[in-house]
Amino acid sequence: MFRNPIFWAWVALLALGGVYTLGWTTDNRVERWVGQTGATPGFELLAERFGGDEFVLVRSERLMLDAEDRMTAWRASTEALRAAPAAAVVFDPLELAPDGAPLERLAAAAERPVVRALGLVDTEAPFRVDRIVTVRPGATPAERNALSAAVDDLRRRTEERGETFACAGHPLVATALDAEARRVEQVFAPLLVVAAALAVAAFLRSARLAIAALLPAGAASIGARAALRAAGVDSDLILVAVGPVAFVLVLAAVMHPVVAFKRHLVRGVDPSDAWRKARREKLRAGIAAAVTTAAGFGVFLTSGMTSVAIFGGTISVTMVAAIPVTFVGLGAILGHRSFGGLAAGTSNEPARRPWTRWARRVVCHRKGVLAGLALTFALGGAGFTRLSSETNPLGYFPRGHVLASDFASIEASGTPLSTVDVLAQREDGAPFELAAVSNETLGAALAADPDASSVLGPATVAADVRAEGGAAASLAIPVALRASERLDSNGEVARWTVRVPTVESAPMRAIVERLEERARAWGDANGARILVAGSVPSMLAMQDVLISTLVRSILLTALVSAAFFVFVTRDPRELAAAFIANFAPLSVVALGAWIAGVPLDGATVMVAACVLGLAVDNTLHLLLAARRTGVPLAAQATPSPRARLRAFDVVGTAAFVSSAALALGFGALALSGFAPTARFGALAALGCVAAFASDMVVLPAVWVRTRTGS
């Protein structure tokens, strides 16, 4: 093989593609995710008139403001935050206080209505001051990285002075998610390849065969990522899985012809003839399995989330393209004379695994298997209905991660970090009169909600301006309302921001609905259109899209699989057996997710389709192996029980090798400290094991109708 120029040409192409994909950028900004779910008028109006709701809260505790040099350092740190390209406004409470001694300025700032409403200053020792950095709309990931670096530098300087530092906010989370996604690409995806390679080499007992089998899978992985980069599509929490998923799916498809090739080669057949025989045996089943998998992932094109749709379409196209690449490319490598010595090196191979004997045993214990199957479906159905989605993206990070720790400490101190924005717009489109929005009516109604920690509205800003006094206070109020983003530049949209605790989806949804109900009552009385906006309501809408995607993908995949199974078999019992065997692994995965408390997110929502694709692959090979080769499907009779049992020997070894390699490969992803990747890897590995067990236990029990097992 290593003397084959085609092999080295393939390796060179893979190396060039791999280098190209290193430049694939990631983008996990909130507005990018929210913009994928379709029409979000509240979020769009908030972004258009006020630049969105993204902010970073920077907390400094145990302040040592006992000397002027400390205040100088404080002002310098505020200016450093302000200089970050992603920063739009930096709100420093101490800048609102008149000049004076540091502690006097702290006390004066704490009395300002805006500062008091938001709880930004605590004058009780140890002193605390919170600064708020709003993010410029449209700030790029690179600019957000610069802001994150400025915050990290501020953390270091603050802690060097013996003070306590904490920070939180979606922009920092997005930057950290970008870093974790790159880590998945650079560390855990290669680890998956290494684990799969070792497993394949161990089971095939040939390093050369393992390398040959990995070439098409590597081409699929690199090709999919390179295509997305060339199309200008950035990676994210979902698309980062394109490479690993393409790799394992194609590897599963490749193992069947490779194992068949080795079987013929060990029998003394010439390499070129061995490959022709393997191709003749596996081409039809390989095409059927690949097209079924492609169609299964293609159903994601109907998703309301763009990244999920792109993911499904990319995997679908990759699977279709993998068939000619695999059978043509592998033929040029495996058919080479350099593989002629493989037979001698494997002549001492142990006897073929007794898969037929195993299937007979399963048939003899059919009642017990069916009872266990019924229990699995019942528990899996219960687990599926209890799956929940995750609201807080900080749950993606490992325990002890600095962002998660800071977030938890700030929330525990009584400062909620989730916000819900209420926007009011007059139904006639005219500007608001100042008196209509600067009264306490709506703000008081929102603040009366039991979960509302604080409300920042026009009335609070107006009170803050009046607190400064002076004859020009009334003239300064409109300017202050616009500067504080409580009223847009045209005076047409007013804004109230409500701080609420960060909780799971169901209670958060209840909070948003209560706030919307209170706001609509005010809008009806004042002739205003009310929109509840912001990242939190949009995230809830995105989770609805994820759940609907999961349900729709399973249903559509079931229909697509049914069409292909009908094409392969005309026997209703055989069709039912194939369906049962392929959906049993989904029940196992749903049960495992329920027991482990795994929530639905952008990665785990795709596990079901991935597992179903793997299960369909081996099942189709079994169904076709039981039929006479060289006869059109339409002319083939229903296979006999003996032929069905014999199919397990024909396919069993390849199914075992591919399933074990994929389980180990996905299991490597489970070692990631990044929760979506770890969850996806663990559930997919569980699904691989369950899919193989279903084909080897459930399928013979419901497919082979014989008492004797003959």
Side-chain angles (χ1 to χ4, degrees):
M1 180 177 72
F2 299 113
R3 297 191 299 271
N4 187 345
I6 296 178
F7 168 77
W8 289 111
W10 203 337
V11 171
L13 288 175
L14 290 180
L16 291 174
V19 171
Y20 178 73
T21 60
L22 291 177
W24 193 22
T25 57
T26 59
D27 185 0
N28 285 288
R29 292 175 296 169
V30 171
E31 63 259 36
R32 180 173 185 264
W33 285 107
V34 171
Q36 296 182 15
T37 57
T40 51
F43 190 88
E44 292 169 359
L45 185 63
L46 181 67
E48 175 190 343
R49 301 300 177 93
F50 301 106
D53 66 339
E54 286 195 275
F55 69 92
V56 175
L57 185 143
V58 179
R59 168 165 292 185
S60 300
E61 292 182 289
R62 299 175 59 194
L63 291 177
M64 301 176 186
L65 298 176
D66 52 354
E68 187 57 35
D69 61 334
R70 300 283 187 177
M71 283 301 303
T72 301
W74 177 272
R75 285 191 290 268
S77 65
T78 297
E79 290 304 318
L81 292 173
R82 196 167 278 138
V89 176
V90 178
F91 184 74
D92 182 352
L94 295 184
E95 291 182 340
L96 299 179
D99 292 336
L103 295 182
E104 292 176 356
R105 296 186 66 176
L106 184 68
E111 293 302 315
R112 296 293 293 264
V114 170
V115 175
R116 191 168 58 249
L118 296 178
L120 299 180
V121 173
D122 186 357
T123 57
E124 298 292 331
F127 306 121
R128 171 182 62 80
V129 176
D130 294 343
R131 284 171 282 188
I132 295 177
V133 182
T134 62
V135 177
R136 181 175 57 80
T140 65
E143 292 171 336
R144 290 161 182 262
N145 289 340
L147 174 60
S148 181
V151 171
D152 289 340
D153 183 66
L154 180 57
R155 179 192 298 275
R156 180 181 58 79
R157 294 177 183 275
T158 300
E159 293 177 348
E160 284 176 353
R161 294 196 298 267
E163 300 172 357
T164 302
F165 183 92
C167 61
H170 280 140
L172 301 181
V173 173
T175 298
L177 291 180
D178 288 345
E180 291 291 345
R182 287 191 295 272
R183 189 163 175 259
V184 170
E185 280 280 335
Q186 298 168 7
V187 177
F188 288 99
L191 182 60
L192 179 149
V193 174
V194 171
L198 292 176
V200 171
F203 289 121
L204 292 178
R205 304 182 68 187
S206 169
R208 284 185 293 165
L209 269 182
I211 293 173
L214 291 172
L215 285 177
S221 174
I222 292 174
R225 286 154 43 213
L228 290 178
R229 185 193 173 188
V233 178
D234 290 328
S235 178
D236 55 35
L237 294 181
I238 293 174
L239 295 178
V240 73
V242 161
V245 171
F247 177 85
V248 297
L249 289 175
V250 173
L251 180 61
V254 166
M255 290 312 303
H256 289 278
V258 168
V259 170
F261 167 78
K262 181 187 176 184
R263 185 174 66 249
H264 292 298
L265 199 64
V266 169
R267 291 172 179 171
V269 180
D270 179 80
S272 59
D273 290 335
W275 173 250
R276 279 195 292 271
K277 289 176 179 290
R279 183 180 58 197
R280 187 166 56 248
E281 291 176 11
K282 299 298 181 180
L283 180 59
R284 184 166 52 178
I287 292 175
V291 173
T292 303
T293 303
F297 278 93
V299 303
F300 283 129
L301 290 169
T302 64
S303 173
M305 184 170 291
T306 306
S307 288
V308 174
I310 293 174
F311 176 89
T314 302
I315 296 297
S316 182
V317 172
T318 300
M319 291 305 299
V320 172
I323 293 301
V325 171
T326 296
F327 281 91
V328 174
L330 273 183
I333 294 176
L334 296 182
H336 193 265
R337 63 181 181 276
S338 60
F339 272 95
L342 186 63
T346 56
S347 58
N348 60 344
E349 186 178 83
R352 186 172 56 184
R353 294 181 182 274
W355 301 110
T356 295
R357 199 181 322 160
W358 169 265
R360 283 199 189 100
R361 238 177 246 166
V362 170
V363 173
C364 292
H365 297 85
R366 177 184 287 117
K367 291 183 179 179
V369 172
L370 294 180
L373 178 64
L375 180 62
T376 301
F377 273 118
L379 294 176
F384 180 81
T385 60
R386 286 166 173 78
L387 293 178
S388 61
S389 53
E390 190 169 49
T391 304
N392 184 7
L394 285 166
Y396 296 163
F397 298 103
R399 186 174 299 177
H401 191 282
V402 62
L403 283 181
S405 299
D406 284 358
F407 188 95
S409 66
I410 293 173
E411 284 264 345
S413 70
T415 303
L417 291 169
S418 293
T419 61
V420 178
D421 281 288
V422 176
L423 305 180
Q425 189 175 27
R426 283 185 52 163
E427 293 179 348
D428 58 7
F432 274 110
E433 295 180 5
L434 192 59
V437 294
S438 62
N439 59 53
E440 295 287 350
T441 311
L442 179 54
L446 296 173
D449 188 274
D451 287 304
S453 172
S454 65
V455 177
L456 179 61
T460 306
V461 175
D464 192 73
V465 174
R466 294 190 188 100
E468 291 188 75
S474 59
L475 298 177
I477 289 176
V479 177
L481 291 178
R482 289 171 171 80
S484 61
E485 297 181 338
R486 298 303 99 188
L487 199 64
D488 74 327
S489 59
N490 299 323
E492 298 172 352
V493 181
R495 177 186 183 188
W496 288 258
T497 301
V498 187
R499 277 186 171 182
V500 296
T502 303
V503 292
E504 293 305 319
S505 298
M508 182 65 80
R509 198 179 299 275
I511 292 172
V512 172
E513 289 174 354
R514 289 200 309 268
L515 293 175
E516 185 173 11
E517 183 179 353
R518 293 172 181 270
R520 290 195 186 282
W522 182 88
D524 293 340
N526 290 271
R529 173 190 178 217
I530 296 295
L531 290 173
V532 175
S535 300
V536 169
S538 298
M539 286 290 200
L540 293 174
M542 187 173 69
Q543 289 164 3
D544 292 339
V545 171
L546 284 176
I547 294 173
S548 66
T549 294
L550 175 63
V551 175
R552 188 188 302 113
S553 67
I554 291 176
L555 293 177
L556 290 178
T557 303
L559 293 175
V560 171
S561 300
F564 277 93
F565 284 136
V566 167
F567 176 72
V568 172
T569 177
R570 300 293 188 271
D571 185 349
R573 287 185 176 180
E574 196 172 33
L575 182 63
F579 256 88
I580 293 171
N582 278 272
F583 279 87
L586 298 188
S587 295
V588 174
V589 170
L591 179 60
W594 177 32
I595 293 174
V598 176
L600 290 175
D601 56 38
T604 56
V605 76
M606 295 180 293
V607 170
C610 185
V611 171
L612 194 56
L614 295 174
V616 168
D617 191 349
N618 288 331
T619 303
L620 279 172
H621 278 282
L622 284 166
L623 294 177
L624 289 172
R627 283 161 164 74
R628 297 190 304 274
T629 59
V631 180
L633 287 176
Q636 292 177 0
T638 300
S640 66
R642 183 185 296 275
R644 292 177 179 179
L645 287 171
R646 191 167 52 245
F648 287 93
D649 260 342
V650 175
V651 178
T653 299
F656 175 72
V657 173
S658 62
S659 298
L662 300 186
L664 289 174
F666 277 124
L669 295 180
L671 300 176
S672 171
F674 186 36
T677 304
R679 295 167 185 165
F680 178 83
L683 290 179
L686 174 63
C688 291
V689 174
F692 175 75
S694 182
D695 278 325
M696 294 298 151
V697 177
V698 174
L699 188 60
V702 296
W703 185 37
V704 182
R705 291 287 178 178
T706 175
R707 292 182 180 274
T708 63
S710 59

